[in-house]
Amino acid sequence: MMRFLLLFSRQGKLRLQKWFTPMSEREKKKIIRDMTTMVLSRQPRSCNFLHWKDLKIIYKRYASLYFCLAIENQENELLALEVIHRYVELLDKYFGNVCELDIIFNFEKAYFILDEFLMGGEIQETSKQIVNRCIESSDMLQEDDSSEWYEVELFG
Amino acid sequence: MPAVSKGDGMRGLAVFISDIRNCKSKEAEIKRINKELANIRSKFKGDKALDGYSKKKYVCKLLFIFLLGHDIDFGHMEAVNLLSSNKYTEKQIGYLFISVLVNSNSDLIRLINNAIKNDLNSRNPTFMNLALHCIANVGSREMAEAFASEIPRILVAGDTMDSVKQSAALCLLRLNRTSPDLVPMGEWTARVVHLLNDQHLGVVTAATSLITTLAQKSPDDFKTSISLAVARLSRIVTSACIDLQDYTYYFVAAPWLSVKLLRLLQCYPPPEDAALRSRLTECLETILNKAQEPPKSKKVQHSNAKNAVLFEAISLIIHHDSEPTLLVRACNQLGQFLQHRETNLRYLALESMCTLASSEFSHEAVKTHIETVINALKTERDVSVRQRAVDLLYAMCDRSNAKQIVAEMLSYLETADYSIREEIVLKVAILAEKYAVDYTWYVDTILNLIRIAGDYVSEEVWYRVIQIVINRDDVQGYAAKTVFEALHAPACHENLVKVGGYILGEFGNLIAGDSRSSPLVQFNLLHSKFHLCSVPTRALLLSAYIKFINLFPEVKATIQDVLRSDSQLRNADVELQQRAVEYLRLSCIASTDILATVLEEMPPFPERESSILAKLKKKKGPGNLPDIDDSRRNVNGNTEHHEPTETTNKSPPSLMADLLPTNRPRPASSSPIMLSAGTMGSSHPFTDLLNLNSPPAAAPSLLVDVFSDLSAPASVEVSEDNFSRFVCKNNGVLYENQLLQIGLKSEYRQNLGRMYVFYGNKTSTQFLSFSSSVTNGDALKGQLIVHAKSVDPVIDGGAQVQQILNMECVSDFTDAPVLNIQFRYGGALQNIAVKLPVMLNKFFQPTEMTSQDFFQRWKQLGAPQQEVQKIFKSQHPMDTDVTKAKILGFGVALLDGVDPNPANFVGAGVIHTKDTQVGCLLRLEPNTQAEMYRLTLRTSRDSVSQRLCDLLSEQF
């Protein structure tokens, strides 16, 4: 199974964190620190896999963002790489040419999309069409009942 | 701020995020956040009820602040409120907040569970999915307790939507991982297996994940999945024109599902059914063939997905380890990848080959790639790839190539990355020892190690070389000569001084005949290093000097002068000073005979696990080290002829094999150890030098235990750490160590009880000869009958087996039975004894009664021996709800309105034994000011009163 997924920038700023097993905040901070230093210090064109404790770390850089996925030892590294890629495709499809700012300002959406794709550390739905349809339909629900909010909005 | 592309967005939130991003300093950020927190807090506390949208927005802001790394201590309640909103978007934010932020805060969990329950029952698939996600994300025990029986029902119900099925399968998988004891197996298991036939590939993928995990734990229950998985795989892999629509990923048919199916098949041995077996072989061949076809796309995603399936197929081939042609084909394929231009593939090929190297069929085929691997070691730019190359060289090493591999590793060591040097040193030391045919090579190799990477040579490595030299008299002369020469180097590492000091002190006489290495020369050589060394090394050298006095009377005066000098006798370090004083005195007053006895040559060391191997295992973790020491796996029952463990009686004898059977006991009374152990305690380096005082390794040992006596140690300490935790509850984890976890689930009715014991193998290696039995102490015999059903003797890595214990309470009892567990793990016999939490109160039946009845009985039980009372300090916070739960868990009925003081607790129940029934009344009076309790128990039997009071009073 997958243990966690982190998205961070080249400067080491964390943009998204998803933990598939319960962990204390202290442990999380330690892992985030370890991952950012470890991954950011890698030379370009190195392989995308690392061993870390009893886990395999799979990472890949897309533009300014690093995607870093931890999987258990017996899991398939190459497919984990494609899990990352598929998530990027889903984000791309939703935001239309996704960039780091989209994820910063719409972090909750990034989490929702991830939740449609992965669950409990396993892949839930690999079909891009189906995931997109789910997300679009929930956006429809959102638009339906959004009309009444505009006034309140002004007072932020 | 970018335009929000879709949906409504929340402008207030976007403004806030924007503000945070514009903060120039950490301080400014914190200031802005505190301002926002104050604003939100006042909104939440304000008189005006917030509408759903505002609540959602503020909760989302809080979430953002939390994800920035700041603590959030409010807003949970508002988030929980959002869960019951009818608006999807509010619900969704509520669930997101809960998933990210809620840990098992009990009050909230109950409310959350309520909301989840409503959504699960809503029959609205979107809401159901949100609820299932939340359970999977939080995955706490309370949630498992609330929903573990509900989810299987949703999963297999005929009218459940596909997307909900997927969520339900993965949610159940999650709960099974966190609280396996709570997920009941049942008739749904058979129906889950049939989901492998489902039309919807998304459902099949999710179900395969679930089945794989369940099959790892109880393979027998899911055997039917083998044929379904093979059929499904075959349909994906072999049919050319199948349209999988969106499940085709960059021209690869359903790669995720294929990999999952191949993983599921790795839970089982090759299928026994011939037709099925050949169908599977056909699949595997097709996958191997496809690797040779030209790629259908130049995109890396295509090749990754295709090779992901290929590597998983190779894993299955290696797991089956039964088809030589497939194994050799797999090996050739990996060989091609070793030279691939993609770094990722080279890395994975090296890694996969490590496991292939341990198969008897492919070991030779792997060896043919040795030059490529050595080349990788020299030319790869990426340290993690070089690391894999080292691992593979280690795994492919046998007697035929040991010298070459060790030489390559040594030369790589000169330039190796600091991060992996220590590991390489350990590996070289192990290989040199294991495959040494002649000991001079071994000694040379270790001294080279110290020369090249002295800083990375740990104690274990130089202890080991000394153990071996002492135990082998034919290498002692050579060792003495070699260290003597090595010590001549202008800058030699301190580790070399240690080895040199020790060996010359023991065997310097063997080279003293040569005038170039006469006693005085030897002494001067050692002493020239003395001042550059640390205290422990100097202490060791002093011991070498006193040994010299015994070996070479002609240098006695010189050494005595050294010992007598102020820098020794008045050394600031107490250890050095004491040694100097004692050795000097010893050399002056002892007769030659006494000196010769006291300073006799060290007796051979009793053989034990190579401390180096233990160290490497510790470093890499049990699962990550290829077992070069196990006989190569072989389904035909032959063992591999290269294995030194098999060659004990054959020639050429290996160093290890020679050492193993010589279990000579050391002559303790005349041992030189006595000298120092008596006077200086165990901190003396000579005493402790080779870990003689360390307890026998509890870790699994490979090299030695193959030959060790099979009989179990006479007594094992009985663990009762978790015993008292089970007084008020019936389920939970009873025992856990690095290898094994024992979980319990028990139920009691009247005087009968049944306990389900779950043994979980936490390692990746099989437990063999597993057995567990229950013993009753003498007092307990006749009071409690425990019947244990037999349990499977093999527990696969990561698997769990269950044992059922049936119990009958004959009469009241105080002692507890002991569960004795034995198994072999990696050759070592493990013994574990755990006190079973079967207590008298388990046979309680609660009794409801009126206030009047209670007091009437209370008076009837007024005889002094019938009442036991205890006043004690509370160990835990005095929480009424917790106390109530504990009393109920204890087994009695909690009677409300009986005691005039509402703060007190009153309970009643009947203990059922076969012989009799014992009525029991209890009263617990908390005193919150003093943080004390008074517990009173009245029963018709004094032994029962006493026992129950003892049990219960420990719980508060």
Side-chain angles (χ1 to χ4, degrees):
Chain A
M1 75 178 277
M2 296 170 244
R3 291 287 190 80
F4 55 82
L5 172 68
L6 304 178
L7 268 64
F8 46 83
S9 69
R10 265 189 301 168
Q11 292 74 36
K13 282 256 183 200
L14 189 67
R15 296 305 181 201
L16 183 140
Q17 44 176 319
K18 180 78 185 174
W19 309 90
F20 295 108
T21 49
M23 230 172 291
S24 70
E25 291 306 314
R26 256 185 74 179
E27 282 174 286
K28 288 182 189 171
K29 292 211 166 101
K30 166 106 179 45
I31 291 177
I32 292 168
R33 209 173 41 238
D34 280 6
M35 287 304 124
T36 43
T37 41
M38 211 166 79
V39 169
L40 293 174
S41 67
R42 297 275 292 166
Q43 299 291 317
R45 274 180 301 145
S46 297
C47 78
N48 297 93
F49 316 130
L50 292 168
H51 275 237
W52 182 77
K53 302 201 170 159
D54 61 337
L55 298 178
K56 294 174 180 170
I57 307 299
I58 317 300
Y59 72 93
K60 190 160 181 180
R61 182 177 156 184
Y62 286 86
S64 61
L65 268 190
Y66 281 91
F67 290 67
C68 171
L69 179 64
I71 57 176
E72 285 177 356
N73 227 321
Q74 71 279 12
E75 296 280 320
N76 196 306
E77 291 98 333
L78 287 172
L79 213 52
L81 214 43
E82 295 317 298
V83 167
I84 293 177
H85 186 75
R86 173 80 353 149
Y87 182 46
V88 173
E89 285 183 346
L90 290 168
L91 292 172
D92 215 41
K93 173 92 177 134
Y94 182 82
F95 290 108
N97 213 351
V98 66
C99 68
E100 194 180 334
L101 280 179
D102 290 321
I103 294 174
I104 296 172
F105 279 94
N106 302 285
F107 69 98
E108 81 283 10
K109 288 276 187 280
Y111 279 98
F112 295 148
I113 295 172
L114 188 63
D115 268 351
E116 294 293 339
F117 177 44
L118 306 177
M119 177 169 175
E122 297 288 343
I123 196 117
Q124 177 175 212
E125 180 53 80
T126 65
S127 158
K128 199 158 54 168
Q129 285 171 12
I130 294 183
V131 175
N132 279 324
R133 222 179 295 144
C134 281
I135 295 163
E136 270 160 27
S137 68
S138 67
D139 267 342
M140 291 302 289
L141 286 171
Q142 199 143 310
E143 271 159 16
D144 279 351
D145 48 15
S146 63
S147 46
E148 49 179 324
W149 298 336
Y150 289 122
E151 284 181 354
V152 197
E153 187 63 70
L154 296 172
F155 303 101
Chain B
M1 185 173 64
V4 175
S5 52
K6 283 193 187 173
D8 64 311
M10 286 171 273
R11 257 196 50 209
L13 175 66
V15 170
F16 174 57
I17 296 176
S18 216
D19 282 359
I20 294 288
R21 282 178 56 75
N22 290 333
C23 287
K24 296 276 184 289
S25 65
K26 195 78 194 162
E27 289 72 38
E29 182 185 307
I30 291 175
K31 216 174 143 199
R32 178 69 185 88
I33 285 172
N34 284 337
K35 187 180 151 206
E36 192 64 37
L37 286 175
N39 171 41
I40 300 173
R41 197 172 281 142
S42 75
K43 288 282 193 306
F44 283 166
K45 278 200 179 142
D47 306 329
K48 216 178 81 197
L50 288 179
D51 62 8
Y53 169 74
S54 310
K55 222 184 268 175
K56 173 180 96 160
K57 185 179 65 189
Y58 293 132
V59 165
C60 210
K61 279 182 180 174
L62 286 178
L63 184 59
F64 180 79
I65 294 170
F66 178 78
L67 289 170
L68 276 180
H70 302 268
D71 286 338
I72 293 294
D73 55 3
F74 69 103
H76 299 72
M77 207 53 209
E78 283 73 15
V80 173
N81 284 341
L82 285 178
L83 298 184
S84 34
S85 163
N86 286 328
K87 287 188 183 135
Y88 175 74
T89 143
E90 289 166 18
K91 210 186 250 301
Q92 199 183 20
I93 295 285
Y95 272 124
L96 180 62
F97 184 92
I98 302 293
S99 304
V100 174
L101 252 120
V102 167
N103 32 37
S104 32
N105 181 331
S106 59
D107 290 347
L108 279 180
I109 286 283
R110 213 172 311 140
L111 293 171
I112 296 167
N113 278 359
N114 249 335
I116 292 178
K117 190 167 282 166
N118 289 337
D119 281 336
L120 284 183
N121 292 333
S122 70
R123 308 186 67 81
N124 173 336
T126 333
F127 288 5
M128 288 173 89
N129 276 337
L130 281 180
L132 289 167
H133 266 286
C134 183
I135 301 174
N137 276 324
V138 178
S140 67
R141 218 171 149 82
E142 290 91 338
M143 284 201 178
E145 272 163 6
F147 301 110
S149 52
E150 173 75 2
I151 297 167
R153 215 182 39 71
I154 297 177
L155 176 59
V156 296
D159 57 350
T160 304
M161 300 267 294
D162 288 334
S163 69
V164 178
K165 269 190 203 165
Q166 282 165 273
S167 306
L170 295 179
C171 185
L172 194 56
L173 169 56
R174 174 82 172 83
L175 295 186
N176 186 277
R177 282 197 179 120
T178 48
S179 322
D181 53 314
L182 292 179
V183 178
M185 293 292 165
E187 51 97 36
W188 62 273
T189 46
R191 299 175 61 182
V192 164
V193 173
H194 280 278
L195 288 179
L196 289 175
N197 276 333
D198 202 282
Q199 298 235 312
H200 189 290
L201 285 195
V203 173
V204 186
T205 311
T208 313
S209 297
L210 173 63
I211 295 167
T212 306
T213 303
L214 296 174
Q216 277 163 357
K217 291 184 176 157
S218 42
D220 285 347
D221 293 341
F222 293 89
K223 259 192 176 141
T224 44
S225 65
I226 304 175
S227 60
L228 294 178
V230 172
R232 192 93 219 193
L233 182 69
S234 155
R235 261 178 288 159
I236 297 170
V237 171
T238 52
S239 47
C241 53
I242 192 164
D243 179 17
L244 298 174
Q245 291 153 345
D246 205 30
Y247 290 94
T248 301
Y249 181 84
Y250 291 87
F251 304 101
V252 181
W256 276 279
L257 179 54
S258 308
V259 165
K260 292 258 170 225
L261 291 168
L262 288 163
R263 268 219 69 70
L264 170 58
L265 291 169
Q266 285 171 62
C267 300
Y268 294 96
E272 282 157 21
D273 177 74
L276 196 59
R277 197 173 168 148
S278 74
R279 196 162 178 203
L280 177 56
T281 306
E282 190 193 347
C283 287
L284 296 172
E285 276 169 347
T286 313
I287 294 172
L288 285 169
N289 292 341
K290 278 188 184 164
Q292 300 301 325
E293 291 169 8
K296 291 186 181 133
S297 155
K298 286 212 170 93
K299 287 244 163 71
V300 66
Q301 283 75 29
H302 171 71
S303 83
N304 278 351
K306 188 168 138 181
N307 291 326
V309 179
L310 176 63
F311 273 103
E312 205 61 50
I314 292 177
S315 293
L316 180 62
I317 293 170
I318 296 173
H319 169 80
H320 283 169
D321 197 21
S322 60
E323 300 269 358
T325 38
L326 284 179
L327 279 163
V328 171
R329 276 193 72 182
C331 187
N332 293 339
Q333 182 60 55
L334 294 178
Q336 282 182 23
F337 284 152
L338 284 182
Q339 322 223 29
H340 203 279
R341 59 184 172 79
E342 277 268 335
T343 315
N344 285 346
L345 288 179
R346 295 197 301 276
Y347 175 98
L348 292 175
L350 289 167
E351 192 179 57
S352 263
M353 264 203 187
C354 263
T355 34
L356 264 185
S358 58
S359 164
E360 188 222 357
F361 297 119
S362 48
H363 182 72
E364 288 302 315
V366 171
K367 275 168 64 186
T368 59
H369 298 287
I370 185 166
E371 297 302 334
T372 320
V373 182
I374 287 171
N375 197 36
L377 197 59
K378 289 177 178 160
T379 58
E380 283 289 350
R381 286 154 33 105
D382 183 348
V383 52
S384 46
V385 183
R386 292 197 295 271
Q387 165 98 56
R388 295 285 87 77
V390 172
D391 286 349
L392 178 54
L393 285 178
Y394 179 75
M396 67 161 67
C397 191
D398 61 21
R399 182 150 308 112
S400 72
N401 56 18
K403 282 202 170 161
Q404 184 189 8
I405 286 177
V406 166
E408 291 295 347
M409 281 191 177
L410 274 176
S411 79
Y412 173 57
L413 197 51
E414 308 216 26
T415 56
D417 312 72
Y418 297 114
S419 56
I420 58 175
R421 280 196 183 181
E422 186 182 358
E423 196 184 313
I424 297 176
V425 167
L426 292 174
K427 286 185 163 157
V428 168
I430 290 168
L431 293 178
E433 174 182 341
K434 188 167 155 65
Y435 295 113
V437 180
D438 92 59
Y439 313 107
T440 60
W441 176 67
Y442 171 74
V443 171
D444 287 343
T445 304
I446 302 297
L447 292 182
N448 261 331
L449 268 185
I450 296 175
R451 185 177 58 76
I452 295 168
D455 284 344
Y456 298 89
V457 171
S458 55
E459 290 181 336
E460 286 84 352
V461 173
W462 74 263
Y463 285 180
R464 189 70 185 163
V465 71
I466 286 173
Q467 283 181 9
I468 285 171
V469 168
I470 285 183
N471 286 18
R472 301 276 345 167
D473 41 20
D474 51 345
V475 76
Q476 289 158 357
Y478 180 80
K481 181 164 163 284
T482 320
V483 290
F484 176 77
E485 280 161 11
L487 281 169
H488 276 97
C492 61
H493 195 273
E494 189 165 335
N495 277 335
L496 182 67
V497 179
K498 289 179 186 160
V499 176
Y502 201 109
I503 289 184
L504 291 181
E506 294 293 324
F507 308 114
N509 56 330
L510 299 176
I511 55 168
D514 188 327
S515 61
R516 283 166 299 174
S517 52
S518 68
L520 193 59
V521 176
Q522 285 186 40
F523 172 73
N524 285 336
L525 180 59
L526 280 180
H527 198 52
S528 68
K529 315 285 179 194
F530 189 89
H531 304 282
L532 300 170
C533 292
S534 63
V535 168
T537 309
R538 289 190 197 187
L540 185 149
L541 286 176
L542 288 180
S543 299
Y545 297 168
I546 186 74
K547 291 228 157 190
F548 269 25
I549 290 183
N550 175 44
L551 290 178
F552 316 118
E554 63 266 41
V555 294
K556 181 171 172 179
T558 319
I559 292 176
Q560 280 177 332
D561 283 346
V562 168
L563 293 177
R564 206 174 281 127
S565 72
D566 275 356
S567 62
Q568 308 298 352
L569 276 187
R570 302 193 172 181
N571 195 294
D573 185 274
V574 64
E575 174 74 32
L576 292 180
Q577 194 186 98
Q578 187 171 5
R579 283 196 192 209
V581 171
E582 289 181 4
Y583 291 164
L584 180 62
R585 198 76 195 120
L586 182 71
S587 70
C588 295
I589 57 169
S591 70
T592 330
D593 280 355
I594 291 177
L595 215 52
T597 314
V598 171
L599 299 171
E600 196 184 17
E601 188 181 306
M602 290 293 275
F605 287 91
E607 203 36 65
R608 61 173 76 90
E609 175 182 17
S610 160
S611 45
I612 317 173
L613 199 53
K615 167 123 182 172
L616 182 61
K617 267 186 270 175
K618 205 166 125 200
K619 214 172 145 53
K620 297 214 94 183
N624 295 337
L625 181 64
D627 269 352
I628 53 166
D629 302 290
D630 275 348
S631 299
R632 307 232 185 264
R633 283 177 290 122
N634 182 340
V635 282
N636 303 323
N638 310 321
T639 29
E640 215 262 345
H641 52 275
H642 288 298
E643 276 307 304
T645 48
E646 301 294 321
T647 56
T648 327
N649 301 319
K650 293 178 198 162
S651 57
S654 104
L655 178 53
M656 272 318 294
D658 248 16
L659 282 174
L660 289 170
T662 56
N663 213 346
R664 288 172 280 177
R666 42 186 319 123
S669 56
S670 66
S671 160
I673 283 170
M674 298 306 290
L675 164 71
S676 43
T679 54
M680 293 168 198
S682 62
S683 67
H684 196 306
F686 252 65
T687 330
D688 240 13
L689 186 54
L690 298 154
N691 282 345
L692 285 170
N693 293 341
S694 64
S701 57
L702 295 169
L703 285 175
V704 175
D705 270 359
V706 181
F707 293 96
S708 70
D709 193 345
L710 290 186
S711 65
S715 66
V716 185
E717 201 182 341
V718 178
S719 156
E720 49 184 88
D721 296 347
N722 289 339
F723 183 81
S724 66
R725 285 196 208 164
F726 285 85
V727 170
C728 293
K729 64 175 194 171
N730 285 333
N731 306 331
V733 173
L734 176 61
Y735 176 88
E736 183 152 10
N737 67 11
Q738 286 176 322
L739 307 174
L740 178 74
Q741 185 191 57
I742 305 178
L744 289 187
K745 224 175 141 175
S746 28
E747 50 198 39
Y748 295 89
R749 235 170 84 199
Q750 303 203 323
N751 69 323
L752 300 177
R754 171 173 290 181
M755 189 176 270
Y756 299 86
V757 189
F758 299 88
Y759 304 98
N761 179 345
K762 290 169 65 181
T763 72
S764 53
T765 317
Q766 273 190 337
F767 291 166
L768 297 171
S769 324
F770 187 91
S771 71
S772 72
S773 58
V774 178
T775 46
N776 281 351
D778 285 339
L780 198 54
K781 276 179 191 149
Q783 297 176 331
L784 179 75
I785 300 169
V786 183
H787 176 73
K789 299 232 164 121
S790 65
V791 57
D792 201 319
V794 176
I795 306 183
D796 284 327
Q800 192 183 51
V801 301
Q802 171 193 308
Q803 182 179 34
I804 297 178
L805 310 179
N806 287 320
M807 289 165 296
E808 182 178 11
C809 175
V810 179
S811 64
D812 71 271
F813 61 95
T814 305
D815 288 351
V818 174
L819 183 67
N820 302 293
I821 297 137
Q822 263 198 4
F823 58 91
R824 285 200 158 272
Y825 168 73
L829 193 65
Q830 306 284 330
N831 273 286
I832 294 164
V834 192
K835 205 163 155 187
L836 263 187
V838 182
M839 307 91 169
L840 185 57
N841 65 299
K842 297 293 174 196
F843 302 93
F844 251 129
Q845 294 279 280
T847 319
E848 296 287 348
M849 56 177 77
T850 63
S851 169
Q852 200 185 354
D853 287 347
F854 184 87
F855 281 112
Q856 196 182 350
R857 301 231 185 134
W858 185 263
K859 274 182 207 145
Q860 283 168 2
L861 295 170
Q865 70 276 16
Q866 292 175 325
E867 183 193 90
V868 174
Q869 190 172 73
K870 200 165 175 179
I871 297 170
F872 54 92
K873 191 106 184 130
S874 82
Q875 315 276 341
H876 305 285
M878 298 174 84
D879 182 319
T880 309
D881 286 343
V882 175
T883 308
K884 276 185 181 168
K886 281 182 179 166
I887 293 177
L888 287 172
F890 193 62
V892 295
L894 201 58
L895 305 177
D896 279 326
V898 170
D899 200 298
N901 180 351
N904 293 346
F905 305 91
V906 167
V910 176
I911 299 269
H912 287 254
T913 72
K914 192 179 166 205
D915 297 341
T916 174
Q917 296 187 359
V918 184
C920 164
L921 305 176
L922 72 84
R923 185 179 190 208
L924 180 72
E925 298 156 279
N927 178 341
T928 41
Q929 256 122 46
E931 294 183 280
M932 303 280 283
Y933 285 101
R934 179 162 70 183
L935 174 65
T936 315
L937 269 134
R938 288 192 179 184
T939 78
S940 49
R941 254 171 202 256
D942 49 357
S943 57
V944 173
S945 304
Q946 187 60 54
R947 180 60 182 152
L948 292 177
C949 183
D950 290 346
L951 284 168
L952 190 59
S953 60
E954 294 294 310
Q955 298 297 313
F956 297 103

